[in-house]
Amino acid sequence: FPIYAFIFLLIASVLVALFNLARSAEQRTVNQTFTWLARLFIGGMWYQQMLWKMPPMFTDNPDGSGGLRYWMGEMGKYAAFKQQAALVNDLMLPHFKVFAFQVWAGETFIAVSLMLGLFTRLGGLLGTLMALNLWLGLYNRPDEWPWTYFFLILLNGLLLFQRAGRALGIDAMLAASTRSGGREKGIISWIT
């Protein structure tokens, strides 16, 4: 099932991009195309990361080992700040299933948001916050390169602040439909 959902998201992203290209000359630039591709690839990365945290076990190991519980334990050991380690060890791990589902759902939302260009600023914000959590949580772990997470913070932040969903995404269509008198209105103007 996950591969079919991924293929559906890829096809949907291409169809949305083609619709935008046909609808608006403003969308027909190298910058818009590159932004769409960057958003698509970063969304694909979040999708791939979500796959090894699938409910109900929140791991891709048949024996139930590893997966999200293992990495949350690593955060509890190697967090940059003892307050974050205490939060993981004293609250999140004892109530693992509640928080594991939130992590999985959050990464799924980020993937769908970025791949389709739908509420991309919200997806970029959530991706930035999750990457920040990973950066600080695994900062001191041996064999981990903290810059990986720092670059994820930057990339997701760019998608947030550059309104990347307006580049060949559904957000471009939503923004066009909410304009009144040359000005956008409502919450749609912020999340797109």
Side-chain angles (χ1 to χ4, degrees), residues 146-167:
W147 283 100
T148 302
Y149 303 111
F150 188 72
F151 289 129
L152 272 177
I153 294 166
L154 292 176
L155 289 171
N156 283 279
L158 280 171
L159 298 176
L160 163 64
F161 291 110
Q162 295 298 317
R163 293 186 158 193
R166 294 188 182 200

Side-chain angles (χ1 to χ4, degrees), residues 163-178:
R163 293 186 158 193
R166 294 188 182 200
L168 304 173
I170 294 174
D171 287 349
M173 298 181 309
L174 290 173
S177 71
T178 61

